Amino acid sequence: MSGFDKVVNSYEEALAGLEDNMTVIAGGFGLCGIPENLIQQIKVMGTKGLTIVSNNCGVDGFGLGILLEDRQIRKMVSSYVGENALFEQQLLAGELEVELTPQGTLAEKMRAGGAGIPAFYTATGFGTPVAEGKEVREFNGRNYILEESITGDFAIVKGWKADRYGNVIYRDTAQNFNPLAATAGKITIVEVEEIVEPGELEPTQIHTPGIYVNRLIKGTFEKRIEQRTVRQA
Amino acid sequence: MSGFDKVVNSYEEALAGLEDNMTVIAGGFGLCGIPENLIQQIKVMGTKGLTIVSNNCGVDGFGLGILLEDRQIRKMVSSYVGENALFEQQLLAGELEVELTPQGTLAEKMRAGGAGIPAFYTATGFGTPVAEGKEVREFNGRNYILEESITGDFAIVKGWKADRYGNVIYRDTAQNFNPLAATAGKITIVEVEEIVEPGELEPTQIHTPGIYVNRLIKGTFEKRIEQRTVRQA
Amino acid sequence: MALTREQMAMRVARELQDGYYVNLGIGIPTLVANYVPEGMEVMLQSENGLLGMGPFPTEDEIDADMINAGKQTVTAATGASIFSSAESFAMIRGGHVDLTVLGAFEVDTQGNIASWMIPGKLIKGMGGAMDLVAGADNIIVTMTHASKHGESKLLSTCSLPLTGAGCIKKVLTDLAYLEIENGAFILKERAPGVSVEEIVEKTEGELVVPDSVPEMTF
Amino acid sequence: MALTREQMAMRVARELQDGYYVNLGIGIPTLVANYVPEGMEVMLQSENGLLGMGPFPTEDEIDADMINAGKQTVTAATGASIFSSAESFAMIRGGHVDLTVLGAFEVDTQGNIASWMIPGKLIKGMGGAMDLVAGADNIIVTMTHASKHGESKLLSTCSLPLTGAGCIKKVLTDLAYLEIENGAFILKERAPGVSVEEIVEKTEGELVVPDSVPEMTF
């Protein structure tokens, strides 16, 4: 096959090279659009001391929450970690470090990391604890703080469909942080529900161009729902 | 109709409020994906003293080049202006100011302007004339320069299809700077080849969400080709 | 009588205009969607990447890939668009959302807001709240005027860690609608049957009381 | 004999690897696409927003909406993606392109490159060149070794305004392939029949000549 064929055939192969104390950027919002099988594989590998950059840390027993069970996570960079009792327990016990980052700033830090922008100014967090230790600068009469970008040794991403070249599209709001994470990993691994041949996806409709993707794998997904809310039909 | 219906029925209405000495951000790359009819309308209006932010300035007699004929442009912010004799003439005569900006920096300045980011660091242009007067800062051992974002009083954009709510998709490489320009105008006007009803475009495949679009108009387009190159069939 | 949660939502809904893009926070703000005036359309932005949030799904429509910022299953309205978190916050931070409604623990006369952290208790995180208050020109804070113990939440200086500095101009409490101007709360409207005296008593920060303070009607 | 433009393109093509994403500048770099080794695939990035540039169109295929960074009509290859200019330069600036090939007026022993502006003549602009040289780790500059008047273009210090500072490590001229290390050009290969003496004579910046300098073969 072509040198652009990113498909790997096992989760072992997908995560080969992940080592203790590395930084992993993960897509997903809550339990929506999370790379469930890649997370499960990290649990199986038992890698320790990880810094995980992800908007949330899953829930007890699912998503990134399962990496707390064997204390594989040293530090979380997240905007919201309120869904997880084990997280709270490890945080209060001083076994886990957390760097709380506003959600939009977190998204932009990932994008900037992938785009070769080392830092940017934002009004978000000015005058709050988030601004502590950060440069403040005025532009056009308003105060902004300097935020540095994020890159990871690995990025783990959940897509919907991808072609073998690693061109990915996401489904509905399962997109969220995934395309940003995809740009910011030294090695980016995408797991998807369906792999198609190159040429089957419309070029203008690709969310993550294959240039960002190193390894691609087809998985099956539980897609657990966090807050099941319905109306009467 | 709904308050979200962005459709206007004439180019007069589309550009209502454009005044002398305003800043206009224009989509397009070369003559590809340029808002031809909106440019033509600015010529008809005779607005003077304009600052135009656009990767190029069209060619003699087409695209933004036609705004040079009656000296409507005071200043161009562009990455490349080499296709236009009248431009050269006015520049050498001191009748036209030009701020040359690297293409990627220009794209990012528009995006940042639309995204509420007043400034960002980039390695592009460090050590070159582009860096003159700009702050230099080191991150992780490398030098970067500070670039400020751009916003415009108006943005003029060429799309392919849009729904009445102003959700826009672009066709092939006619996308280029258009979605960035669309985010950065106080008033953003999009002209398209086809207007469809809300719901006809797939939500995950929209390039410019309607929240950025103030006015939408259907036009007909010449789509002049700058460098016609072919191979034998 | 203090306003009910429903009345608070109804009062906020009067600030809507046809064609507004609106971000509604969790709790009372979410209820505002139920009171959009007849003949008016607004489009709801959910910061996880959805512009044009529709109603909750029926059992048959439930889809794990379609949720809102509260992680609830939702649907997409006609004309919706769906995008990445970076695009979503570009909209928010760039000031493209017309109205943001969110809850708070405290607001002060400098327009500061505290809504995300109570030191000593667990820190869950700010989520998108800091971006929302920094990005919007037009924000309405909804909260009770005082705590259950009677302590005012409208202060001269917030006591809790801030969510945003100098960004709040409008507050709707269960007792009053107030605006913040020149370092003071201006009492604009009071809840039906609530006296100016009660509001004065429960407002710790400087309060300006105009000659006439109309009662809200529902 | 100095290399022809075609030979220069052939020599650059030997630096390609299967699976490389490559940005080719205007002129000689463009020709590299014609010499991709058998059994190898590369994907061409065009900075106006196309990853996976295909051949020129036939008369029937011509489409004004499908052009490359040189504003020529092109086609999309199988598996291409098309995106905005911001996304395109995110790729470039972020270092995701494996190889960039571009022309220049001058290169110096500090790895500086001048390629966009000759003061006193018209300034056309840098286009994407400054982003390309700042963003890529792996850049090959292609140019003639000396001007028509015999003036060296491989200098101790560039005389023209720079496109990028300290970013060039590989130069292919019509006479030689050189690498820049520790403030000097290292002569790695010479064109068939070109003497080391001629290269020494036409190189103004410090030149290191190893004991053996292999001749290129075609």
Side-chain angles (χ1 to χ4, degrees):
Chain A
M1 273 299 294
S2 143
F4 294 101
D5 189 352
K6 311 292 175 74
V7 178
V8 297
N9 296 309
S10 72
Y11 279 91
E12 290 77 9
E13 199 182 339
L15 276 161
L18 179 69
E19 293 173 10
D20 288 354
N21 305 312
M22 281 186 165
T23 295
V24 178
I25 303 182
F29 179 90
L31 302 182
C32 181
I34 61 173
E36 344 182 330
N37 302 292
L38 289 166
I39 294 167
Q40 178 60 36
Q41 177 62 23
I42 294 175
K43 182 172 173 68
V44 169
M45 290 167 74
T47 320
K48 303 270 189 191
L50 296 172
T51 295
I52 306 275
V53 182
S54 172
N55 191 58
N56 315 92
C57 193
V59 297
D60 290 317
F62 196 69
L64 289 167
I66 65 174
L67 301 185
L68 295 166
E69 294 163 6
D70 301 316
R71 296 188 190 161
Q72 293 179 261
I73 305 177
R74 183 182 66 75
K75 179 178 173 180
M76 279 300 301
V77 180
S78 300
S79 87
Y80 190 80
V81 287
E83 319 286 11
N84 202 313
L86 190 52
F87 190 97
E88 179 174 354
Q89 185 184 314
Q90 292 186 13
L91 184 63
L92 294 174
E95 294 164 352
L96 178 64
E97 189 184 339
V98 63
E99 182 176 323
L100 291 172
T101 304
Q103 193 175 142
T105 297
L106 184 62
E108 193 66 16
K109 277 172 173 260
M110 289 185 197
R111 181 194 176 272
I117 291 170
F120 58 90
Y121 288 93
T122 176
T124 300
F126 168 73
T128 78
V130 164
E132 276 167 28
K134 290 174 187 162
E135 182 194 310
V136 173
R137 187 182 296 212
E138 195 178 306
F139 294 93
N140 302 314
R142 191 164 181 210
N143 287 308
Y144 296 84
I145 63 174
L146 182 66
E147 292 281 6
E148 296 195 20
S149 65
I150 293 178
T151 54
D153 297 296
F154 280 79
I156 56 174
V157 169
K158 159 67 170 65
W160 178 33
K161 289 186 192 179
D163 68 24
R164 287 182 164 269
Y165 288 1
N167 294 305
V168 184
I169 58 176
Y170 304 94
R171 189 164 170 277
D172 292 349
T173 63
Q175 179 170 168
N176 56 61
F177 282 85
N178 280 299
L180 316 170
T183 68
K186 285 197 196 81
I187 296 175
T188 290
I189 313 160
V190 181
E191 58 173 337
V192 295
E193 299 176 42
E194 185 182 350
I195 295 176
V196 301
E197 292 305 311
E200 289 189 42
L201 302 177
E202 160 62 27
T204 59
Q205 303 295 17
I206 287 162
H207 295 121
T208 294
I211 195 169
Y212 293 113
V213 177
N214 300 91
R215 303 173 192 168
L216 178 67
I217 187 165
K218 182 177 180 309
T220 54
F221 298 86
E222 176 184 337
K223 293 197 191 182
R224 197 180 289 186
I225 292 174
E226 205 163 340
Q227 302 284 342
R228 191 180 187 88
T229 47
V230 294
R231 72 173 198 279
Q232 296 310 311
Chain B
M1 272 297 294
S2 142
F4 294 99
D5 189 354
K6 310 292 175 73
V7 178
V8 297
N9 296 309
S10 72
Y11 280 91
E12 290 76 11
E13 201 183 335
L15 276 160
L18 179 68
E19 293 173 12
D20 290 354
N21 305 312
M22 280 185 165
T23 295
V24 178
I25 303 182
F29 179 90
L31 302 182
C32 181
I34 60 174
E36 327 180 346
N37 301 292
L38 290 165
I39 294 167
Q40 178 61 36
Q41 177 62 22
I42 294 175
K43 182 171 173 66
V44 169
M45 290 167 75
T47 321
K48 305 271 190 191
L50 295 172
T51 295
I52 307 275
V53 182
S54 172
N55 191 56
N56 315 91
C57 192
V59 296
D60 291 317
F62 196 70
L64 289 166
I66 65 174
L67 301 183
L68 295 167
E69 293 162 5
D70 301 317
R71 297 191 186 156
Q72 293 179 261
I73 304 177
R74 184 182 66 75
K75 179 178 174 180
M76 279 300 301
V77 180
S78 299
S79 86
Y80 191 79
V81 288
E83 319 285 11
N84 201 313
L86 189 52
F87 190 96
E88 178 175 354
Q89 185 184 312
Q90 292 187 12
L91 184 63
L92 294 174
E95 294 164 354
L96 179 63
E97 189 185 339
V98 63
E99 182 175 322
L100 291 173
T101 304
Q103 194 175 142
T105 297
L106 184 62
E108 193 66 16
K109 276 171 174 263
M110 290 185 196
R111 180 192 177 273
I117 291 171
F120 58 89
Y121 288 93
T122 176
T124 301
F126 168 74
T128 78
V130 164
E132 276 167 28
K134 290 174 186 162
E135 182 194 310
V136 173
R137 186 182 298 212
E138 194 178 306
F139 294 94
N140 301 314
R142 190 162 181 212
N143 286 308
Y144 296 83
I145 62 175
L146 182 66
E147 293 280 6
E148 295 195 20
S149 66
I150 293 177
T151 55
D153 298 297
F154 280 79
I156 55 174
V157 169
K158 159 68 171 63
W160 178 33
K161 290 186 192 178
D163 68 25
R164 289 183 163 269
Y165 288 2
N167 293 306
V168 184
I169 58 176
Y170 304 94
R171 188 165 169 275
D172 292 348
T173 63
Q175 179 170 169
N176 57 62
F177 283 85
N178 280 299
L180 316 171
T183 68
K186 286 198 197 81
I187 296 175
T188 290
I189 314 160
V190 181
E191 58 173 337
V192 294
E193 299 176 41
E194 186 182 350
I195 294 176
V196 301
E197 291 305 312
E200 290 189 40
L201 302 177
E202 160 62 27
T204 59
Q205 303 293 19
I206 287 162
H207 295 122
T208 294
I211 195 170
Y212 293 112
V213 177
N214 300 92
R215 303 172 191 167
L216 177 67
I217 187 165
K218 182 177 179 307
T220 54
F221 298 85
E222 177 185 335
K223 294 198 191 181
R224 197 181 289 187
I225 292 174
E226 205 163 339
Q227 303 283 344
R228 191 182 186 87
T229 47
V230 295
R231 72 172 199 279
Q232 297 310 312
Chain C
M1 285 283 289
L3 300 183
T4 63
R5 288 161 56 89
E6 308 297 331
Q7 285 175 316
M8 288 178 72
M10 289 165 71
R11 175 61 192 84
V12 169
R14 292 177 192 163
E15 302 292 316
L16 298 173
Q17 293 184 22
D18 194 28
Y20 258 23
Y21 298 97
V22 180
N23 185 293
L24 300 177
I26 292 168
I28 292 167
T30 300
L31 302 176
V32 174
N34 300 332
Y35 298 102
V36 178
E38 192 76 26
M40 190 181 286
E41 282 185 37
V42 302
M43 202 172 272
L44 302 178
Q45 206 262 12
S46 186
E47 64 261 31
N48 57 315
L50 170 60
L51 180 68
M53 181 163 62
F56 293 132
T58 61
E59 268 306 330
D60 289 348
E61 290 170 338
I62 277 189
D63 185 335
D65 289 337
M66 182 62 90
I67 67 168
N68 66 14
K71 288 143 193 161
Q72 298 171 306
T73 43
V74 292
T75 57
T78 301
S81 52
I82 297 174
F83 32 79
S84 76
S85 300
E87 177 57 48
S88 183
F89 283 94
M91 274 174 205
I92 289 168
R93 199 189 305 103
H96 303 280
V97 174
D98 296 301
L99 175 66
T100 290
V101 185
L102 80 171
F105 301 144
E106 298 174 346
V107 168
D108 73 23
T109 52
Q110 278 69 55
N112 297 326
I113 174 173
S115 67
W116 71 284
M117 179 187 176
I118 301 179
K121 303 200 180 180
L122 180 68
I123 303 160
K124 289 174 184 287
M126 69 292 284
M130 286 191 182
D131 307 280
L132 283 160
V133 298
D137 261 348
N138 190 11
I139 303 169
I140 302 176
V141 171
T142 60
M143 59 181 194
T144 55
H145 207 99
S147 74
K148 286 174 192 161
H149 310 294
E151 289 158 351
S152 179
K153 297 180 176 181
L154 283 75
L155 306 174
S156 53
T157 304
C158 286
S159 70
L160 295 170
L162 297 187
T163 307
C167 48
I168 305 302
K169 292 178 204 140
K170 300 176 183 175
V171 184
L172 178 73
T173 73
D174 54 341
L175 303 185
Y177 172 70
L178 311 96
E179 293 183 2
I180 301 174
E181 270 174 41
N182 303 318
F185 296 108
I186 317 294
L187 181 56
K188 292 286 189 179
E189 299 171 29
R190 57 203 167 90
V194 169
S195 68
V196 168
E197 290 66 33
E198 180 179 354
I199 296 165
V200 169
E201 187 202 334
K202 290 187 172 164
T203 306
E204 188 269 333
E206 186 181 337
L207 179 70
V208 174
V209 182
D211 292 343
S212 155
V213 182
E215 242 180 51
M216 296 174 204
T217 53
F218 291 93
Chain D
M1 287 282 290
L3 300 183
T4 62
R5 290 161 54 90
E6 262 66 25
Q7 286 175 315
M8 288 178 72
M10 288 165 71
R11 175 61 192 84
V12 170
R14 292 178 192 164
E15 303 292 315
L16 298 173
Q17 293 184 22
D18 193 30
Y20 257 24
Y21 297 97
V22 180
N23 186 292
L24 301 177
I26 291 168
I28 292 167
T30 300
L31 302 176
V32 174
N34 300 332
Y35 298 101
V36 178
E38 193 74 25
M40 190 180 284
E41 280 183 39
V42 301
M43 202 171 273
L44 301 178
Q45 207 262 13
S46 186
E47 65 260 31
N48 57 314
L50 171 59
L51 180 68
M53 181 162 63
F56 294 133
T58 61
E59 268 304 332
D60 289 349
E61 290 171 339
I62 277 189
D63 185 334
D65 289 338
M66 183 61 90
I67 67 168
N68 66 16
K71 286 138 193 167
Q72 298 171 306
T73 44
V74 291
T75 58
T78 300
S81 52
I82 296 175
F83 33 78
S84 76
S85 300
E87 177 58 48
S88 182
F89 284 93
M91 273 175 206
I92 289 169
R93 200 190 304 103
H96 303 280
V97 174
D98 296 300
L99 175 66
T100 290
V101 186
L102 81 170
F105 301 143
E106 298 174 347
V107 168
D108 72 25
T109 51
Q110 278 70 54
N112 296 326
I113 174 172
S115 67
W116 70 285
M117 179 187 177
I118 301 179
K121 302 198 181 181
L122 181 68
I123 303 159
K124 289 174 184 287
M126 68 292 284
M130 285 191 182
D131 306 280
L132 283 161
V133 298
D137 261 347
N138 190 12
I139 303 169
I140 302 176
V141 172
T142 60
M143 61 181 191
T144 55
H145 207 98
S147 74
K148 286 173 192 163
H149 311 294
E151 289 158 349
S152 178
K153 297 180 176 182
L154 281 76
L155 306 173
S156 53
T157 304
C158 287
S159 69
L160 295 169
L162 297 187
T163 308
C167 47
I168 305 301
K169 292 178 205 140
K170 299 176 183 175
V171 184
L172 177 74
T173 74
D174 54 343
L175 304 184
Y177 172 69
L178 310 97
E179 293 184 2
I180 301 174
E181 270 175 40
N182 303 319
F185 296 108
I186 318 294
L187 181 56
K188 292 286 189 179
E189 299 171 30
R190 57 202 167 89
V194 169
S195 68
V196 168
E197 289 67 32
E198 181 180 353
I199 295 165
V200 169
E201 188 201 333
K202 290 187 172 165
T203 305
E204 190 268 333
E206 186 180 339
L207 180 69
V208 173
V209 182
D211 291 342
S212 154
V213 182
E215 245 179 51
M216 296 175 202
T217 53
F218 290 95

